[in-house]
């Protein structure tokens, strides 16, 4: 089993950037497929991005392509989400998740087996 801890959230002005990290303990990140999701106030949790077990494939929510980048740091055993040109609509709690299967690049919550506690991102206008 793997434990996930997100970090890097905070308050940023519109147009700014943040880099979120998800630290994995208990297993190496290469054992899983990884995803980022977010949940804004009063809304359902939504898919942000995913990266394959090998790191060779990525997939993004259409609305976020070009602004967000998911990556892996095998040396640090972390999965990262670089967020640029942030807007108030990006305000949400961001969660990382791990999928035991390394065969795909899932975008649905139920496909993931482990979840972090989330980190708050607030973008002011």
């Amino acid at each position: 089993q793997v434990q996930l801890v997100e970090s890097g959230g905070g308050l940023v002005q519109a147009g700014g950037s943040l880099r979120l990290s998800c630290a994995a303990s208990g297993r190496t990140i290469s054992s899983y497929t990884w995803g980022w999701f977010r949940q804004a106030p009063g809304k359902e949790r939504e898919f942000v991005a995913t990266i394959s077990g090998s790191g060779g494939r990525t997939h993004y929510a259409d609305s976020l392509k070009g602004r967000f980048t998911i990556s892996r740091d095998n040396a640090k055993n972390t999965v990262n989400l670089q967020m640029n040109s942030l807007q108030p609509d990006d305000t949400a709690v961001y969660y990382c998740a791990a999928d035991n299967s390394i065969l795909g690049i899932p975008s649905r919550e139920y496909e993931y087996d482990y979840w972090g506690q989330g980190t708050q991102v607030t973008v002011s206008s």
Side-chain angles (χ1 to χ4, degrees), residues 45-122:
R45 191 153 53 183
E46 65 176 358
F47 169 73
V48 173
T50 183
I51 188 166
S52 65
S54 67
R57 290 188 294 165
T58 58
H59 177 56
Y60 297 89
D62 288 342
S63 62
L64 301 177
K65 287 180 181 177
R67 293 196 300 124
F68 287 19
T69 303
I70 189 171
S71 64
R72 310 162 63 107
D73 187 332
N74 291 332
K76 295 183 179 180
N77 215 42
T78 60
V79 179
N80 305 306
L81 184 69
Q82 178 67 40
M83 307 185 294
N84 299 328
S85 302
L86 285 164
Q87 299 301 317
D89 284 349
D90 295 316
T91 295
V93 178
Y94 284 73
Y95 299 88
C96 71
D99 175 13
N100 279 320
S101 173
I102 60 172
L103 299 178
I105 45 173
S107 60
R108 298 177 178 83
E109 285 188 63
Y110 68 84
E111 296 178 284
Y112 287 85
D113 302 292
Y114 306 103
W115 292 83
Q117 294 300 307
T119 185
Q120 176 70 47
V121 171
T122 303

Side-chain angles (χ1 to χ4, degrees), residues 16-67:
S17 299
L18 281 176
R19 183 178 179 85
L20 305 183
S21 288
C22 177
S25 61
R27 297 285 297 274
T28 61
I29 60 172
S30 60
S31 301
Y32 302 92
T33 295
W34 294 87
W36 283 95
F37 289 75
R38 67 183 185 182
Q39 187 168 20
K43 296 185 178 180
E44 294 186 352
R45 191 153 53 183
E46 65 176 358
F47 169 73
V48 173
T50 183
I51 188 166
S52 65
S54 67
R57 290 188 294 165
T58 58
H59 177 56
Y60 297 89
D62 288 342
S63 62
L64 301 177
K65 287 180 181 177
R67 293 196 300 124

